[in-house]
Amino acid sequence: MLSRSWPAEGATRVPYWVYQDEEVYREEQRRIFQGPAWNYLCLEAELAEPGSFMTTFVGDMPVVVTRDPQGVLHAFENRCAHRGALICIQARGRAERFNCIYHNWTYDHAGNLTSVAFRKGIAGKGGMPADAHPESQAPKQFRVASLHGLVFGTLSQSAPALDDYIGPEILPRLKRVMIKPVKVLGTYTQVLPNNWKLYMDNVKDTYHASLLHLFFTRFRINRLTQKGGVFVSADGAHHCTYTEIVEDRGDAYEKGGMRAANEFALQNPEILEQVDELGDNVSIQILSLFPGFVLHQIRNSLAARQVVPKGIDRTELHWTLFGFADDDQAMARRRLLQANLVGPAGYISMEDGAATGFVQRGVAASPDRASVIEMGGATIGSGDSRVTETAVRGLWKAWRSYMQL
């Protein structure tokens, strides 16, 4: 039982100790990442070939994700049953089996221990006794499910089916992007100087975009008066926000008090030229699944983001940029060009990593104080306004449910 209590105001307050407490962090690993949540692992396209594998994380736990020779997906803890060394030290590749480099204990694609080097000793000497059970410390194995090319895993047998976990509010918005087979364009990792929940909080904050990200307003590509909305799952855990395409050459930004400027121009405006490939006039869609997955469509830039906690004040953000397998050369170029909008130095998203770090630093001496999240009231739910913190309140509703607070 955690020795903490939530503020009396409930959904409209988030106490700052949630970002600072080591006990809270340890319990998150047990109750969320190793509990009944579904965790994003990778794209199926990253495991296209039978026998392929990649390494990743679920919370603090190192994980191997594989496609076995029969094409079945698996995931297991990257920890040898012998002395705890990593079983697989390569980032990705193909393998017939997995051999721990330390003492050559061997595992199959499902993470089952298949052989122990010198188990019977040499010339009748040494080795393990007949009643030894090295399998008793075998790596943990995940339930794995794939949905529209996205691979998830959970250690819990009580977790609902993945479709039910995501829910009817968010599932159609996920399907909207993942409409056909994809191909990976590139990957990179960004280190954030803050607690992992601050990044998820930022992703679900729908009204900071035209305030924090000057690129949006300087070049008139996103403002809160555009048509759009927010979807929030019934349990609050997952969200999706979207903005429709608008070509604004008037004074709407200036009238709204936003920092647009006609004297600025892009040397290469191609970076903002969008093809409405999904056929619904949406320029931006940001979708998140609890605890640490983000799927974005920004113009024609598509990416999966995985949020990996690395302690109370450090987070890794793993980006996987992708396109569709049938993209022509022009679309492939457009996606790569528009990838400059996102990431640690992205024209749009570079400020997110800085802002969340500012919060981590700003609250350092105030664990007893709390964030005020009353934009849009105190409710949690879907709506057609993005001037709201409804999805942020949903995040904390879900987190508190897992943490029993």
Side-chain angles (χ1 to χ4, degrees):
M1 182 67 68
L2 287 171
S3 57
R4 292 287 190 176
S5 59
W6 201 263
E9 293 90 342
T12 64
R13 297 291 184 274
V14 178
Y16 293 133
W17 52 256
V18 300
Y19 309 121
Q20 303 172 327
D21 192 303
E22 293 281 3
E23 181 191 12
V24 167
Y25 182 83
R26 288 193 300 271
E27 286 298 298
E28 288 173 339
Q29 301 302 312
R30 182 175 69 86
R31 300 187 190 201
I32 298 175
F33 294 99
Q34 296 183 38
W38 281 95
N39 301 274
Y40 173 74
L41 299 175
C42 63
L43 296 171
E44 272 205 62
E46 296 179 271
L47 299 171
E49 301 285 337
S52 58
F53 70 87
M54 64 175 294
T55 54
T56 185
F57 288 86
V58 170
D60 281 341
M61 182 184 291
V63 173
V64 184
V65 193
T66 72
R67 188 183 293 276
D68 70 20
Q70 289 72 47
V72 179
L73 294 168
H74 303 274
F76 57 91
E77 183 182 13
N78 195 0
R79 174 193 56 81
C80 184
H82 181 209
R83 301 273 284 279
L86 293 172
I87 296 169
C88 181
I89 59 176
Q90 292 82 20
R92 60 187 69 234
R94 294 183 66 187
E96 292 183 8
R97 64 188 66 84
F98 298 94
N99 302 314
C100 175
I101 195 171
Y102 200 177
H103 297 93
N104 205 36
W105 287 29
T106 304
Y107 300 81
D108 64 16
H109 285 83
N112 298 306
L113 179 64
T114 56
S115 69
V116 173
F118 301 120
R119 184 167 187 168
K120 296 182 179 180
I122 298 175
K125 298 179 180 179
M128 286 186 171
D131 60 353
H133 296 288
E135 299 84 356
S136 65
Q137 299 302 316
K140 297 174 182 177
Q141 296 181 0
F142 288 77
R143 288 171 58 195
V144 175
S146 177
L147 185 65
H148 304 293
L150 301 168
V151 183
F152 295 83
T154 180
L155 287 172
S156 172
Q157 295 304 309
S158 64
L162 181 58
D163 282 33
D164 295 332
Y165 177 78
I166 297 172
E169 300 87 0
I170 307 303
L171 194 56
R173 307 304 298 186
L174 187 151
K175 292 179 180 178
R176 172 191 167 270
V177 175
M178 309 300 292
I179 57 173
K180 51 186 172 179
V182 306
K183 62 180 177 183
V184 176
L185 301 180
T187 64
Y188 49 83
T189 295
Q190 175 181 0
V191 178
L192 304 173
N194 52 262
N195 187 273
W196 69 275
K197 299 184 293 299
L198 277 169
Y199 186 77
M200 291 304 292
D201 186 299
N202 171 271
V203 166
K204 292 171 182 285
D205 175 353
T206 57
Y207 94 99
H208 78 273
S210 57
L211 300 171
L212 176 65
H213 303 307
L214 284 182
F215 190 87
F216 272 146
T217 52
R218 290 293 190 201
F219 299 105
R220 301 170 180 269
I221 59 175
N222 185 57
R223 54 182 169 80
L224 290 171
T225 53
Q226 287 172 242
K227 186 176 180 180
V230 185
F231 297 93
V232 181
S233 62
D235 61 358
H238 321 304
H239 104 293
C240 178
T241 182
Y242 72 97
T243 305
E244 292 195 5
I245 299 170
V246 62
E247 295 300 330
D248 193 319
R249 295 294 181 264
D251 60 355
Y253 285 83
E254 288 80 359
K255 286 182 177 179
M258 289 174 282
R259 292 170 286 184
N262 293 320
E263 66 269 21
F264 288 98
L266 290 168
Q267 192 170 43
N268 184 3
E270 185 184 1
I271 196 171
L272 295 179
E273 292 174 358
Q274 178 177 0
V275 173
D276 186 16
E277 61 182 323
L278 302 177
D280 56 7
N281 204 42
V282 170
S283 62
I284 299 173
Q285 177 179 289
I286 308 295
L287 181 152
S288 72
L289 301 180
F290 188 85
F293 172 68
V294 180
L295 176 69
H296 87 230
Q297 172 241 324
I298 300 176
R299 300 298 206 189
N300 294 112
S301 169
L302 306 175
R305 312 177 199 172
Q306 181 189 22
V307 179
V308 180
K310 293 294 179 181
I312 59 171
D313 58 0
R314 186 173 181 270
T315 301
E316 288 184 359
L317 183 59
H318 298 177
W319 299 73
T320 305
L321 306 175
F322 65 89
F324 295 123
D326 62 359
D327 284 348
D328 60 19
Q329 187 174 359
M331 181 58 80
R333 170 183 164 79
R334 180 178 289 107
R335 295 200 202 283
L336 289 173
L337 187 63
Q338 293 182 0
N340 290 291
L341 297 172
V342 298
Y347 295 136
I348 293 172
S349 60
M350 68 175 172
E351 295 95 352
D352 290 320
T356 50
F358 295 157
V359 176
Q360 189 76 36
R361 290 160 60 186
V363 305
S366 300
D368 56 327
R369 306 307 291 270
S371 291
V372 177
I373 50 172
E374 295 191 58
M375 292 297 290
T379 59
I380 299 169
S382 304
D384 60 2
S385 171
R386 289 173 294 132
V387 189
T388 179
E389 290 167 315
T390 180
V392 177
R393 290 187 288 271
L395 165 67
W396 293 105
K397 174 185 176 182
W399 185 86
R400 291 176 65 190
S401 176
Y402 279 88
M403 299 295 285
Q404 299 178 6
L405 282 169

